[in-house]
């Protein structure tokens, strides 16, 4: 739906709270604070070479990946913005080894926030779309203090999830568990304007997204699924497929929410002991929640991503998500495999 009356993010959240009783005030504050932080990250991203924010930070994160300056800046922006409001107990991030508990000088709330502060790091310096991904959990139980254990909940318990794409437009996409809404940043007024509601992913598609350069390392069900797409009209699918791979999950998922498609980052033989490249808690879970809320599906090839109970904060997971009929087919090939 495109709106003729301009509805701001604040108005949308107030109405969700008033009309549907859907969000407690602390969750509303949390979303607004995250959205404000994304605005600050968007400004930093936009400065590029003029802001001395490109290039490497000279450090590695817990996954052993080199951190870019913007990874570190975005992480700091999200931490600083969120720690004083009283809505959070703790935060976790792709860029931090362990959880960040809200300091004692601030009140502690009941929510837990997880994020990938700047997803698609390899695209930062080359001016291709990147983004922030976030997931919100509620701390269960009334025990004092907070630990990593409190975060290890299956994705189906998320209270909210979202991402912001820093692309030609800056777009915030969010779910509170009742569909998906999109907001576009109006740079002249500095406000988030509601630009789509009731986002739906078509069940069928002719577009797939996968890093084809890993083909020789794939497992048989992935080789079969992509092989059949590549055979086009002449093959068992009877239609031609197109391929897109931005290498920023936010941008690839955003395309799928906009016009359909299927995204795969499967397990492969390069790192046989790890289930995949992407991280469950702050990449796959929030994206799976959004995709399901838009009528799509998300699995690890065998089971629903949102049903997986995490055992570690930074655990990885294979991902197949997007248009329902394609995800069913690719998952079926995995389930049938010997
Ligand atoms: P990052 O969090 O370090 O940026 O890595 C995640 C990104 C995803 O956005 C994207 O889907 C994938 O890595 C791209 O991987 P590849 O480099 O294999 O194309
Ligand atoms: Mg990432």
């Amino acid at each position: 739906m495109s709106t003729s009356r301009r509805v701001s993010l604040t108005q949308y959240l107030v109405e969700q709270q008033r009309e549907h009783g859907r969000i407690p005030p602390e969750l509303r504050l949390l979303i607004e604070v995250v959205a404000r932080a994304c605005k600050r990250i968007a400004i930093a991203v936009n400065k590029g070479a003029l802001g001395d924010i490109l290039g490497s930070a000279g450090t590695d994160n817990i996954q052993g990946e080199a951190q870019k300056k913007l990874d570190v800046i975005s992480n700091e922006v999200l931490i600083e913005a969120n720690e004083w409001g009283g809505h959070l107990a703790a935060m976790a991030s792709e860029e931090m080894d362990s959880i960040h508990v809200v300091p004692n000088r601030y009140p502690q709330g009941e929510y837990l926030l997880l994020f990938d502060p700047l997803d698609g790091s390899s695209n930062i310096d080359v001016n291709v779309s990147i983004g922030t991904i976030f997931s919100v959990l509620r701390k269960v139980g009334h025990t004092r203090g907070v630990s990593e254990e409190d975060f290890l909940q299956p994705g189906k318990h998320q209270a909210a999830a979202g991402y912001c794409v820093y692309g030609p437009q800056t777009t915030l996409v969010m779910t509170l568990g009742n569909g998906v809404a999109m907001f576009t940043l109006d740079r002249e007024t500095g406000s988030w304007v509601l630009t789509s509601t009731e986002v739906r992913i078509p069940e069928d598609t002719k577009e797939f997204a996968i890093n084809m350069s890993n083909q020789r390392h794939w497992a048989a069900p992935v080789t079969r699924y992509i092989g059949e797409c590549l055979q086009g009209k002449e093959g068992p699918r009877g239609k031609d497929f197109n391929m897109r791979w931005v290498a920023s999950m936010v941008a690839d998922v955003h395309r799928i929410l906009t016009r359909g498609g299927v995204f795969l980052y499967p397990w492969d033989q390069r790192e046989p002991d790890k289930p995949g490249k992407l991280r469950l808690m702050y990449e796959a879970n929030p994206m799976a929640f959004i995709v399901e809320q838009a009528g799509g599906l998300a699995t690890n090839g065998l089971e629903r991503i949102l049903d997986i109970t995490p055992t570690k904060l930074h655990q990885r997971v294979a991902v197949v998500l997007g248009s329902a009929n394609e995800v069913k087919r690719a998952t079926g090939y995995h389930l049938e495999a010997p």
Side-chain angles (χ1 to χ4, degrees):
M1 179 193 87
S2 67
T3 47
S4 49
R5 182 175 63 97
R6 279 170 74 107
V7 174
S8 68
L9 174 66
T10 304
Q11 183 177 350
Y12 174 84
L13 293 172
V14 168
E15 285 173 358
Q16 289 289 314
Q17 190 177 328
R18 192 187 293 146
E19 287 166 28
H20 309 290
R22 200 164 284 282
I23 43 171
E26 295 76 24
L27 182 55
R28 197 184 104 201
L29 176 63
L30 187 161
I31 303 280
E32 293 212 68
V33 170
V34 169
R36 209 173 305 137
C38 288
K39 237 188 272 183
R40 284 187 56 195
I41 297 170
I43 290 166
V45 167
N46 200 242
K47 284 199 173 122
L50 301 177
D52 190 27
I53 41 86
L54 300 184
S56 164
T59 46
D60 285 354
N61 66 14
I62 178 125
Q63 356 264 337
E65 299 159 344
Q67 290 175 306
K68 302 273 185 172
K69 283 185 196 164
L70 262 178
D71 287 323
V72 175
I73 294 168
S74 306
N75 194 58
E76 280 166 8
V77 167
L78 280 155
I79 301 269
E80 271 174 36
N82 276 287
E83 64 180 5
W84 51 269
H87 51 286
L88 284 186
M91 292 174 253
S93 160
E94 179 178 327
E95 305 304 339
M96 300 189 297
D97 299 4
S98 44
I99 63 168
H100 176 92
V101 178
V102 166
N104 281 336
R105 61 183 181 280
Y106 301 121
Q108 248 195 31
E110 61 168 332
Y111 287 101
L112 305 170
L113 176 65
L114 299 104
F115 44 82
D116 178 352
L118 208 62
D119 181 61
S121 306
S122 72
N123 282 324
I124 294 175
D125 294 347
V126 293
N127 198 4
V128 171
S129 294
I130 47 184
T132 297
I133 311 174
F134 67 95
S135 160
V136 182
L137 292 165
R138 201 173 286 117
K139 183 172 169 273
V140 279
H142 295 287
T143 48
R144 282 172 60 81
V146 56
S147 70
E148 192 170 310
E149 297 282 293
D150 292 300
F151 283 82
L152 303 180
Q153 307 176 35
K156 63 185 169 200
H157 294 324
Q158 289 169 102
Y163 65 81
C164 182
V165 201
Y166 312 111
Q169 303 130 38
T170 303
T171 310
L172 179 71
V173 176
M174 186 185 72
T175 183
L176 299 163
N178 63 330
V180 177
M182 291 189 184
F183 301 83
T184 304
L185 182 62
D186 181 340
R187 285 185 181 265
E188 281 157 30
T189 61
S191 63
W192 292 106
V193 180
L194 181 65
T195 40
S196 296
T197 56
E198 293 157 27
V199 176
R200 302 303 291 170
I201 299 174
E203 285 185 350
D204 293 299
T205 182
K206 293 162 118 181
E207 205 158 59
F208 68 88
I210 192 164
N211 185 339
M212 285 295 297
S213 66
N214 298 327
Q215 185 171 19
R216 69 193 183 285
H217 306 298
W218 293 341
V222 178
T223 308
R224 175 183 173 194
Y225 174 73
I226 297 295
E228 289 181 0
C229 294
L230 292 174
Q231 288 173 61
K233 274 201 185 103
E234 292 74 32
R237 303 300 309 275
K239 60 182 181 180
D240 289 337
F241 279 77
N242 190 17
M243 193 202 87
R244 287 286 180 274
W245 184 250
V246 183
S248 286
M249 192 193 199
V250 275
D252 282 311
V253 169
H254 194 65
R255 184 186 60 255
I256 289 170
L257 281 177
T258 311
R259 66 177 189 211
V262 60
F263 169 98
L264 299 94
Y265 213 118
W267 170 91
D268 71 42
Q269 287 158 15
R270 288 172 302 167
E271 292 186 292
D273 300 336
K274 293 183 181 158
K277 175 181 181 185
L278 299 176
R279 274 59 49 128
L280 173 62
M281 298 210 62
Y282 39 79
E283 292 179 322
N285 269 345
M287 291 312 200
F289 191 19
I290 293 166
V291 163
E292 283 199 6
Q293 285 294 315
L297 292 175
T299 75
N300 66 354
L302 297 169
E303 60 174 325
R304 185 181 175 226
I305 284 179
L306 296 182
D307 284 339
I308 299 172
T309 301
T311 53
K312 283 188 298 200
L313 200 55
H314 296 288
Q315 100 184 42
R316 293 167 189 258
V317 69
V319 175
V320 181
L321 63 74
S323 290
N325 288 336
E326 293 303 316
V327 177
K328 274 185 205 155
R329 178 183 286 267
T331 304
Y333 289 1
H334 282 81
L335 291 170
E336 281 169 26

